[in-house]
Amino acid sequence: LVAADVLYNEDLARQIGRRCVEVMTRSAPPKLVITDSQRFHGTDFLQDVNDTLEKGKGDAGTYSPLEWDYYELKDFRGSGIMIDGDQTYDATTRMVSQGWLCSE
């Protein structure tokens, strides 16, 4: 499951969290990666997932709480909806992954 930069508002963040719980509680859970470069409501997403698993709606005994890993992107070149043309800048992004090891 991949969800990249889609946590634009609280409702979307909570819905992504619900999908993560669904896949994490399968008998053979798939790999999971979620990125949140804007950091609008990512914390809401993680809190809901961790609370749900802890309450026993999933098999909480087999899951570690999900936490953000932070990555510094130096000289990132990109554009956006409100930006004319590309810009180069440093950005701090965050990512949650489950099911594989990620290296910097």
Side-chain angles (χ1 to χ4, degrees):
L1 172 69
V2 175
D5 289 334
V6 294
L7 307 176
Y8 297 121
N9 60 51
E10 186 174 357
D11 186 50
L12 284 172
R14 292 181 189 282
Q15 290 297 326
I16 293 294
R18 289 182 186 110
R19 300 301 76 78
C20 290
V21 169
E22 287 174 11
V23 300
M24 289 175 67
T25 56
R26 291 181 180 173
S27 59
K31 294 176 182 172
L32 166 76
V33 64
I34 310 296
T35 63
D36 182 25
S37 66
Q38 300 298 320
R39 294 174 283 172
F40 294 129
H41 292 284
T43 303
D44 296 331
F45 147 75
L46 281 186
Q47 191 64 53
D48 283 352
V49 170
N50 290 330
D51 287 350
T52 300
L53 293 173
E54 185 176 313
K55 288 178 184 175
K57 292 182 181 175
D59 185 3
T62 62
Y63 299 105
S64 299
L66 296 179
E67 297 178 359
W68 291 113
D69 292 319
Y70 291 84
Y71 297 90
E72 185 71 26
L73 304 177
K74 298 286 186 186
D75 297 324
F76 175 79
R77 185 167 180 81
S79 62
I81 295 173
M82 304 291 288
I83 301 170
D84 290 330
D86 287 347
Q87 295 183 343
T88 301
Y89 55 95
D90 295 342
T92 301
T93 63
R94 59 187 181 177
M95 178 181 76
V96 172
S97 67
Q98 183 81 20
W100 64 67
L101 298 174
C102 295
S103 60
E104 294 185 27

